[in-house]
Amino acid sequence: MKSLRKLTCIFISFSLLFVLLPPHMLAASNPLAESYRDIEYTIFIDGKLASFNDQAYLADNGTVYIPIKMFKQIGSLIAVGNGFEVKTKLNKEQVSKKDTILYKGITYISFEKFLKVSGYSGRNEDNLMVAFIWGDEDGATRTKKLMNGVLSVPKAYRSVFGSKVYSYALDQPGWIVSMTQLYQLTEVTIQSANGKTVTEYIYKDIGFSNFCYYFDYEYFIHIAFKGGEYWANKNNLPSSNPLYHLEKIKILSVDIKKNNVIVKAKRASGKSITFKLPVTDDPNEFINGLFYDSDPKKDYPGWSSNVWKLISQQKIKLGMTFNQVLLSWGSPNSTSNSTSSLGSIDIWVYGNTYVTFYNGQIYSWSDY
């Protein structure tokens, strides 16, 4: 799950690199600047999240690079001469600028060099995109406890650990900083950059529903539906939604607030409208079933204007076909079929209403 999303990110990043940058700028002097897959890495120091302010990255050469400012979390960092002086409780050492790289305006040092200079121990879990650093026995114990929690959950969910996500409860980004298994549930703790935490759960065979990967959130907010034209499906939209059936809208923006997708759109009349929709674990699927992404009328150009008027009013009449009823009332709760020498009879059930088709057209309907 996590690896697939990261591969998607890699492909998009690689494509944009060649589209947006002129050839002379593709040549670079350090591994991160040359990289087309600068994947975000999560760092834990002494069992606590350390990379929420200063993001670490994995470059193409397989090396993890950590912001040199992260030394301040375990000691002091002072710029001196042509380098830096680092002091921790375990070591004091000079770092030459030639041992660092500059990327996106921030100075980085390799994970291995960070350990050597600080005197700390560490472990790189590249299958989780997470690196652990600890400076004493207490830190090692907390790190081990953290890892044991991750190992207790099903393998399918372990890759979520350390991921940057968007929490619907916090209404902001955060990171999965702990995991543990509770019977059929996987309990996770999400921590935001300002230190707030929330406990959520991953349900077996369902996945998670109260947060999504931050990559999905960014794609949803900035790319997925902005400027797109859609036609409302009132059979699946909440009854309180102000749109009418098959109404065309143009989405101006989407956002997530308090477990709802906030949609700002323009109606065919030119008037703006704002409404809420429930959010899911993957916000980029929120529109599935709620809207058509093309005008249904273009799919059935032979239908009369009277039929389309009835469908837009979510009504049916004798003689309507299967597809016309599907567009008007949506999918039935159940169906049955019988065939004889006289023809085919189908019965579609919508709640207490039974719609009878004879040879593919409505013959009658009644309520029970």
Side-chain angles (χ1 to χ4, degrees):
M1 188 190 323
K2 183 175 178 182
S3 59
L4 178 60
R5 296 174 191 275
K6 288 193 177 294
L7 284 173
T8 304
C9 184
I10 290 169
F11 176 77
I12 293 173
S13 299
F14 182 69
S15 301
L16 288 176
L17 183 67
F18 283 91
V19 171
L20 299 178
L21 292 182
H24 71 275
M25 292 185 66
L26 294 177
S29 59
N30 65 67
L32 278 176
E34 292 172 346
S35 175
Y36 66 86
R37 60 165 189 155
D38 50 349
I39 299 172
E40 293 187 353
Y41 231 73
T42 307
I43 309 296
F44 288 84
I45 297 179
D46 289 330
K48 296 181 180 180
L49 179 66
S51 59
F52 49 87
N53 283 328
D54 305 313
Q55 187 59 56
Y57 290 99
L58 171 67
D60 291 347
N61 62 5
T63 300
V64 176
Y65 290 92
I66 300 176
I68 199 167
K69 291 187 293 183
M70 205 170 285
F71 279 119
K72 294 181 180 179
Q73 297 186 38
I74 57 175
S76 63
L77 175 70
I78 302 173
V80 291
N82 195 34
F84 304 88
E85 180 183 274
V86 175
K87 185 186 295 185
T88 71
K89 62 185 177 182
L90 298 177
N91 200 22
K92 179 180 178 181
E93 190 167 327
Q94 299 282 327
V95 177
S96 171
K97 283 189 176 180
K98 68 179 183 180
D99 292 323
T100 67
I101 60 176
L102 187 66
Y103 182 60
K104 295 182 179 179
I106 297 176
T107 301
Y108 288 83
I109 189 170
S110 71
F111 176 68
E112 292 75 13
K113 189 69 175 179
F114 187 96
L115 296 180
K116 181 178 180 300
V117 171
S118 66
Y120 277 50
S121 301
R123 179 176 173 179
N124 179 19
E125 295 288 342
D126 56 3
N127 58 319
L128 300 177
M129 303 297 182
V130 172
F132 298 96
I133 298 170
W134 61 89
D136 53 28
E137 187 174 339
D138 185 47
T141 299
R142 290 201 295 269
T143 300
K144 185 177 180 180
K145 181 180 179 181
L146 203 60
M147 276 301 301
N148 286 340
V150 176
L151 294 174
S152 74
V153 310
K155 288 184 179 180
Y157 300 142
R158 291 176 190 173
S159 61
V160 178
F161 178 70
S163 293
K164 188 176 183 181
V165 299
Y166 189 88
S167 166
Y168 304 151
L170 295 173
D171 270 340
Q172 60 181 300
W175 287 261
I176 305 291
V177 295
S178 71
M179 302 181 76
T180 189
Q181 190 66 15
L182 299 173
Y183 303 103
Q184 297 297 313
L185 300 177
T186 298
E187 182 182 271
V188 303
T189 300
I190 301 175
Q191 179 182 331
S192 65
N194 61 12
K196 290 184 178 180
T197 62
V198 64
T199 300
E200 300 291 0
Y201 298 92
I202 300 175
Y203 299 88
K204 184 179 179 181
D205 300 326
I206 297 178
F208 42 85
S209 58
N210 293 320
F211 61 92
C212 66
Y213 287 106
Y214 190 69
F215 173 77
D216 287 335
Y217 170 78
E218 284 198 309
Y219 181 78
F220 171 73
I221 294 296
H222 299 296
I223 301 174
F225 304 106
K226 189 174 181 180
E229 294 181 341
Y230 299 91
W231 287 258
N233 183 354
K234 285 291 285 187
N235 292 306
N236 295 338
L237 282 165
S239 58
S240 59
N241 190 274
L243 301 176
Y244 58 79
H245 193 45
L246 302 188
E247 177 178 3
K248 177 184 176 181
I249 62 169
K250 181 177 182 178
I251 293 182
L252 304 177
S253 69
V254 290
D255 202 352
I256 297 176
K257 295 291 182 184
K258 298 181 179 178
N259 283 297
N260 287 297
V261 175
I262 311 300
V263 182
K264 292 184 179 181
K266 182 176 289 188
R267 308 182 97 150
S269 64
K271 292 184 178 180
S272 296
I273 186 172
T274 300
F275 54 87
K276 298 178 182 179
L277 294 171
V279 71
T280 63
D281 63 307
D282 185 349
N284 294 299
E285 305 222 346
F286 93 99
I287 217 162
N288 285 353
L290 303 181
F291 293 86
Y292 300 100
D293 58 9
S294 63
D295 187 353
K297 290 183 179 181
K298 291 184 177 180
D299 295 330
Y300 305 98
W303 293 358
S304 69
S305 59
N306 184 48
V307 166
W308 282 114
K309 182 178 179 181
L310 288 170
I311 292 173
S312 67
Q313 296 171 345
Q314 294 180 280
K315 295 179 180 180
I316 61 174
K317 73 168 186 174
L318 298 180
M320 270 189 165
T321 65
F322 293 138
N323 285 336
Q324 289 167 353
V325 175
L326 281 173
L327 273 172
S328 185
W329 279 13
S331 299
N333 301 115
S334 63
T335 65
S336 61
N337 170 269
S338 61
T339 304
S340 69
S341 59
L342 298 176
S344 176
I345 295 177
D346 293 85
I347 298 176
W348 287 10
V349 181
Y350 291 88
N352 295 324
T353 302
Y354 287 65
V355 181
T356 302
F357 295 84
Y358 178 67
N359 288 337
Q361 293 183 312
I362 293 181
Y363 177 77
S364 67
W365 72 89
S366 56
D367 295 331
Y368 292 91

